[in-house]
Amino acid sequence: WVARATKIRFEAGFMATSTGKDQLSVGIGGDIPVFPPFLVVTLPLIGLFFKAILPRCPVLPTALDTKTVRASTFVVSFITFVLVVKNTELALADVGTSADFA
């Protein structure tokens, strides 16, 4: 029964069920895609696991494995994220609506 309940939970997290004719559906494949929280927690743990069992396997080539490259990559990623959020807010404002991310 535990396996069946787990399977139902996974399916509910990955399948978007219709909530009505004039309502949005939430879930992967729905109108509002949502990553299940276990994925957000599991991916970093998998990375730490592989780092522990493969300590000699570098992620980046030596020439790119510097603090400058890592910091620059972080800054570019953060700027891209902010631009996407701002463009989304402007596009939603153009059609007279907004997003509630609270």
Side-chain angles (χ1 to χ4, degrees):
W1 63 271
V2 173
R4 185 175 42 229
T6 303
K7 180 183 175 197
I8 292 170
R9 286 270 201 185
F10 278 113
E11 288 174 352
F14 283 109
M15 296 296 183
T17 56
S18 178
T19 55
K21 184 177 173 183
D22 57 350
Q23 292 183 343
L24 298 175
S25 58
V26 177
I28 294 177
D31 299 316
I32 306 171
V34 178
F35 277 109
F38 69 88
L39 284 178
V40 175
V41 173
T42 304
L43 291 178
L45 293 177
I46 290 171
L48 290 173
F49 172 75
F50 279 120
K51 185 67 175 170
I53 64 171
L54 302 170
R56 305 282 297 162
C57 183
V59 176
L60 292 172
T62 306
L64 295 178
D65 195 14
T66 64
K67 289 182 181 179
T68 304
V69 171
R70 290 177 184 255
S72 300
T73 303
F74 174 77
V75 168
V76 168
S77 300
F78 185 75
I79 290 171
T80 303
F81 168 76
V82 170
L83 289 174
V84 167
V85 170
K86 290 296 179 189
N87 286 334
T88 303
E89 288 177 356
L90 291 174
L92 290 172
D94 286 346
V95 295
T97 187
S98 64
D100 182 13
F101 293 112

